[in-house]
Amino acid sequence: MIASPPVVFPSGTPCPTVEFSVVVPFRNPGSALRHTVQRITEVLYAQNVSFQIIAVATESTDGSEYTLAGLHGTWVSSDPDIRDRGAALEYGFASAVGAWIGFIDVDIDADVDPYELVECLHRAREAMHSPS
């Protein structure tokens, strides 16, 4: 799912150069988390898309958030007040600075196709620029 929300920055805050923010809520996905996020970052980088990945833990107890250390463009939140997927998505969307925002679900579908995610971004771009 891709959305283009209004992005408002406090005065004096430099505008980010991130085109695409991807929110990844998770709870105990194990090694699937790093594998999936790494594949997404590799594809976005290869497609020359400026991006950020926002991985948000929801009461995760398996330590999977630590597997994301060192991944380019990846930020992890494990705030104990975030207890469910809805709160994680809300937090991720509020933290996103990209012109476009998408999300993936690694808990349900560990075999995310990063090319499909990029294709959604391309379709969203085209829809924005096509005549009504």
Side-chain angles (χ1 to χ4, degrees):
M1 175 173 227
I2 307 284
S4 180
V7 179
V8 179
F9 299 99
S11 63
T13 303
C15 276
T17 57
V18 173
E19 179 180 17
F20 192 31
S21 296
V22 181
V23 178
V24 184
F26 67 92
R27 174 183 286 148
N28 300 330
S31 63
L33 180 64
R34 179 165 180 108
H35 175 74
T36 300
V37 172
Q38 187 167 6
R39 286 180 55 223
I40 290 169
T41 60
E42 289 169 355
V43 169
L44 290 171
Y45 184 77
Q47 293 283 318
N48 202 28
V49 174
S50 61
F51 66 92
Q52 73 175 150
I53 307 291
I54 304 169
V56 186
T58 58
E59 297 185 323
S60 186
T61 58
D62 69 354
S64 52
E65 63 269 23
Y66 300 111
T67 68
L68 298 177
L71 284 181
H72 171 76
T74 302
W75 176 61
V76 181
S77 173
S78 56
D79 185 329
D81 291 334
I82 300 173
R83 299 178 190 264
D84 61 39
R85 186 167 319 285
L89 287 170
E90 184 177 325
Y91 181 87
F93 293 158
S95 302
V97 296
W100 298 94
I101 301 173
F103 71 95
I104 60 165
D105 192 335
V106 296
D107 290 330
I108 293 174
D109 186 7
D111 193 23
V112 173
D113 181 355
Y115 291 100
E116 187 175 323
L117 187 64
V118 171
E119 183 58 32
C120 288
L121 175 62
H122 291 313
R123 285 194 306 262
R125 285 176 181 158
E126 289 170 11
M128 183 176 176
H129 298 295
S130 67
S132 299

